[in-house]
Amino acid sequence: MYPANTRHVLYVEDDRINIVLMEEVFRRLPDWQLDCAEDGAQALSLLENLQPDLVLIDMNLPDMSGLALLAQLRSNPRNAGLLCVALSADDLPDQVIAARSAGFSDYWVKPIDVIQMVEVLRAALPSV
């Protein structure tokens, strides 16, 4: 369990380099905890015990799409209001529209602008 003032993020990503980069970013953020899942099944398993403030979901996972993961995640009423952001190297308008229509609150294009990401995270999830 984490201290009450800790913000918790679940990052679902299959590319190990991206995971390492995100872990380095979060090491420098006091009061933030990052957990990682490398596929949709692992993310769903972790969500049985975690209550993150935010889930960052890669749209192209090895076992399912980010859209499919979001649908499965949302099928659990406990996750109905969970803030989820789509991540992808693809920025075609149809894909962004599909992600937002499915329920993602935002769509970030890789490579992620780390400084902007941290600003968005702090604005969306201010310290408690």
Side-chain angles (χ1 to χ4, degrees):
M1 211 71 210
Y2 304 111
N5 63 340
T6 300
R7 290 300 193 177
H8 186 224
V9 175
L10 175 60
Y11 181 40
V12 188
E13 169 66 65
D14 62 316
D15 185 319
R16 191 69 198 138
I17 292 171
N18 288 339
I19 292 172
V20 170
L21 172 64
M22 198 67 77
E23 287 171 341
E24 284 303 312
V25 169
F26 276 82
R27 266 195 252 298
R28 292 168 170 74
L29 295 173
D31 302 326
W32 288 79
Q33 172 64 39
L34 179 72
D35 283 296
C36 299
E38 294 187 13
D39 60 33
Q42 186 180 19
L44 292 168
S45 178
L46 286 172
L47 284 168
E48 291 177 13
N49 297 314
L50 296 177
Q51 272 299 133
D53 298 291
L54 171 70
V55 182
L56 302 174
I57 301 174
D58 180 41
M59 294 302 287
N60 297 300
L61 298 167
D63 61 343
M64 66 181 74
S65 71
L67 294 174
L69 175 56
L70 182 69
Q72 287 190 39
L73 183 150
R74 295 280 191 235
S75 70
N76 181 337
R78 187 178 107 157
N79 299 323
L82 187 57
L83 185 63
C84 296
V85 173
L87 305 175
S88 181
D90 301 321
D91 65 347
L92 297 173
D94 289 347
Q95 291 171 325
V96 175
I97 290 168
R100 288 185 180 271
S101 295
F104 281 101
S105 63
D106 207 349
Y107 190 100
W108 297 349
V109 179
K110 296 177 187 177
I112 301 297
D113 179 330
V114 173
I115 293 170
Q116 182 181 12
M117 178 193 76
V118 171
E119 289 173 3
V120 169
L121 290 175
R122 287 186 171 147
L125 301 168
S127 297
V128 286

